[in-house]
Amino acid sequence: MRDMKVLIAPVETAGFVANLVQGLRQLGVDAESYVSERHSFSYDVEEEKKSLTVRVWRQLGTLFKRTPPFPFPVRVALLAAQSVVAWLVLFRSVRLFDAYIFVAGKTFTNTRFELRLLRLLGKRIIFVSLGSESRPPYMNGGYSAGMTPAEAAPRIVRASKKVSKTVQFQERYAHYVVNAPGTGQFHRKKFVNWFSMGVPVPEAQEPSLEDDASESRPVRILHSPSKPLLKGSNEIRAVIASLKHKGYAIDFIELKGVPNAKVREELACCDFVIDQLYSDTPMAFFATEAAHYGKPAVVGGYFSAFVNQYVHDDDIPPSAYVLPEQLEETVARLIDDKRYRVELGNAARRFVRGRWHSRIVAQRYLGLLNDEVPDSWLCSPENLSYLGGLGVSEEELKAMVRYIFDHYGWDAFQLQGMPTLEESLTDLLSQQLADENA
């Protein structure tokens, strides 16, 4: 039904919301976005058209997240004020929209009452997970970065219980939940495979620059970590240093905290990118942006050993997605083999401009809204066995899992009734015990 009015809210990440709105509109769907804060890259160009209530709600969120932050009492007041205005935004929206696509596991009020109200009023509800909001915290390096298991475990156990409850409550009230198999361990119902839907990518504006690397100049490699510790930047630098020591001519560019325009400038000039070391997706947002320019991405992650098991071949975005311990040899191959490098970059560009074009991705979301969902899109949590995580090495994960098991017990992992995942967890615990006794 293209005559339904669709609202996409409330969190913008890397243009996901703006691009999905654009794609739906290209299909003739009346779509709009309400996001809780102004993004630094100004994805929403229609802010002035929003109602005063929505603009006030958004401005309060922007002030709350500003850098440098306001003093703590001011931030508390801003958050309280935005929470109150959020109810006004919600009540306004139910008069205007027929369907809601909630991004990043958030709603306007983040309350059970909100979802119950929307279902009572007959609204269509879709949740789209982007990873961190549904990934088990003990698999998320962001919860333990720079901390020992003893320091991080109490917070991780509390967070695991909260995330598990949130995921299962949302899947109870949503018509569909979109999530990746690498982050779907807390689901108890079938969910839509994130890779079957794709990332909405706008019409390409970037020139398709040719790879002109030759023996006369070093190969230019770009790394632009948003969070260096989680992205494995220290290990990536060590790989580059090792390759240079072996005689490889490398111009390594690392960008941190720079405007997006600078990142794009470097993407246009580089030969390929190294995204991160511990990723549970072969093409996250930075690698997707690189693909616009026909630049291939090297991505490390333990999910690389599982991706063919859970994702259809046509849905796997092209990248050099390898186990973390294979990073150095993979980078060396892209340096040595220009033909492979160019072909992989071209394949990535064709993929994001084709299967991930915003209009095509929007067509799939329209299918969800209309209950036109093929079985091939669905993922059964009972079949999941992956527990590799993001931003955390296998050794760190084993140590954390062992500490939680020893001090909090089996139930702390929130995997009750999931025999395949429980078996994977048992394997991790056994491996850790074997490592300790070796």
Side-chain angles (χ1 to χ4, degrees), residues 80-390:
Q82 189 188 33
S83 299
V84 171
V85 178
W87 286 100
L88 302 180
V89 174
L90 171 64
F91 293 139
R92 180 183 187 277
S93 73
V94 297
R95 303 196 309 270
L96 302 175
F97 299 98
D98 306 300
Y100 292 73
I101 300 178
F102 290 120
V103 178
K106 302 291 185 182
T107 66
F108 292 115
T109 67
N110 296 312
T111 63
R112 298 184 176 216
F113 175 81
E114 178 178 358
L115 295 183
R116 288 169 176 154
L117 174 66
L118 294 179
R119 286 303 296 257
L120 180 65
L121 296 175
K123 309 298 183 181
R124 299 288 295 178
I125 302 173
I126 295 172
F127 274 96
V128 183
S129 172
L130 300 181
S132 296
E133 66 277 5
S134 60
R135 183 183 296 108
Y138 45 86
M139 292 169 48
N140 187 341
Y143 282 88
S144 57
M147 303 170 69
T148 66
E151 293 169 333
R155 179 188 177 208
I156 286 176
V157 170
R158 290 194 302 271
S160 296
K161 185 175 182 179
K162 179 179 180 181
V163 173
S164 176
K165 284 186 175 181
T166 299
V167 168
Q168 290 164 36
F169 179 78
Q170 289 176 353
E171 69 180 3
R172 175 183 174 187
Y173 283 92
H175 293 86
Y176 294 101
V177 177
V178 179
N179 201 354
T183 57
Q185 293 82 359
F186 283 160
H187 283 286
R188 295 298 179 267
K189 296 181 179 180
K190 289 184 177 181
F191 57 92
V192 177
N193 194 322
W194 186 88
F195 291 98
S196 297
M197 306 304 292
V199 177
V201 174
E203 198 73 44
Q205 303 294 326
E206 295 78 14
S208 301
L209 302 180
E210 293 295 326
D211 184 325
D212 62 351
S214 66
E215 295 181 1
S216 63
R217 73 163 178 83
V219 171
R220 193 176 181 90
I221 303 173
L222 177 64
H223 177 52
S224 182
S226 53
K227 298 178 181 179
L229 191 60
L230 294 185
K231 302 296 183 181
S233 295
N234 288 337
E235 293 86 348
I236 291 171
R237 294 185 202 108
V239 163
I240 297 298
S242 174
L243 290 171
K244 285 183 176 180
H245 183 72
K246 293 176 180 179
Y248 284 91
I250 299 172
D251 184 10
F252 182 64
I253 308 298
E254 182 173 344
L255 301 179
K256 292 179 291 186
V258 301
N260 188 248
K262 177 63 176 176
V263 176
R264 292 181 178 181
E265 177 185 324
E266 292 294 343
L267 281 171
C269 299
C270 74
D271 296 304
F272 66 93
V273 307
I274 302 177
D275 186 6
Q276 52 189 302
L277 188 60
Y278 307 113
S279 174
D280 46 24
T281 176
M283 187 179 283
F285 291 113
F286 175 58
T288 301
E289 196 164 13
H292 267 299
Y293 294 84
K295 304 304 172 71
V298 178
V299 185
Y302 300 111
F303 189 67
S304 61
F306 293 78
V307 65
N308 289 291
Q309 181 179 345
Y310 297 119
V311 184
H312 298 291
D313 290 344
D314 291 343
D315 291 332
I316 300 176
S319 66
Y321 190 34
V322 297
L323 293 171
E325 55 266 29
Q326 297 172 324
L327 188 73
E328 182 169 335
E329 64 183 85
T330 304
V331 173
R333 181 186 178 189
L334 263 74
I335 295 173
D336 288 331
D337 193 340
K338 179 179 177 180
R339 180 176 179 179
Y340 168 67
R341 185 171 73 231
V342 172
E343 288 178 350
L344 184 59
N346 287 338
R349 180 169 55 212
R350 287 193 301 270
F351 185 90
V352 299
R353 293 184 178 182
R355 294 188 68 83
W356 281 9
H357 188 285
S358 57
R359 178 177 52 79
I360 295 174
V361 173
Q363 182 71 61
R364 299 182 190 123
Y365 274 94
L366 190 60
L368 296 187
L369 293 171
N370 290 327
D371 253 337
E372 299 168 354
V373 182
D375 289 342
S376 60
W377 288 6
L378 299 177
C379 192
S380 297
E382 295 85 358
N383 297 331
L384 300 180
S385 60
Y386 174 73
L387 287 177
L390 173 90

Side-chain angles (χ1 to χ4, degrees), residues 385 387 398 401-402 405 410 413 415 418-434:
S385 60
L387 287 177
K398 289 177 184 177
V401 165
R402 167 55 63 181
F405 177 75
W410 192 265
F413 297 102
L415 298 178
M418 305 295 286
T420 306
L421 284 168
E422 289 179 331
E423 184 177 345
S424 295
L425 184 59
T426 300
D427 289 344
L428 276 177
L429 291 167
S430 300
Q431 291 170 25
Q432 174 64 14
L433 186 60

Side-chain angles (χ1 to χ4, degrees), residues 7-50:
L7 178 62
I8 308 174
V11 179
E12 177 63 279
T13 299
F16 183 96
V17 170
N19 295 336
L20 187 53
V21 167
Q22 180 188 58
L24 287 169
R25 288 177 177 176
Q26 289 173 353
L27 296 172
V29 177
D30 189 351
E32 194 171 341
S33 66
Y34 290 176
V35 294
S36 60
E37 61 182 280
R38 186 181 299 108
H39 200 281
S40 57
F41 298 156
S42 302
Y43 291 113
D44 186 358
V45 297
E46 299 181 333
E47 182 180 0
E48 71 282 354
K49 298 181 181 180
K50 302 287 193 297

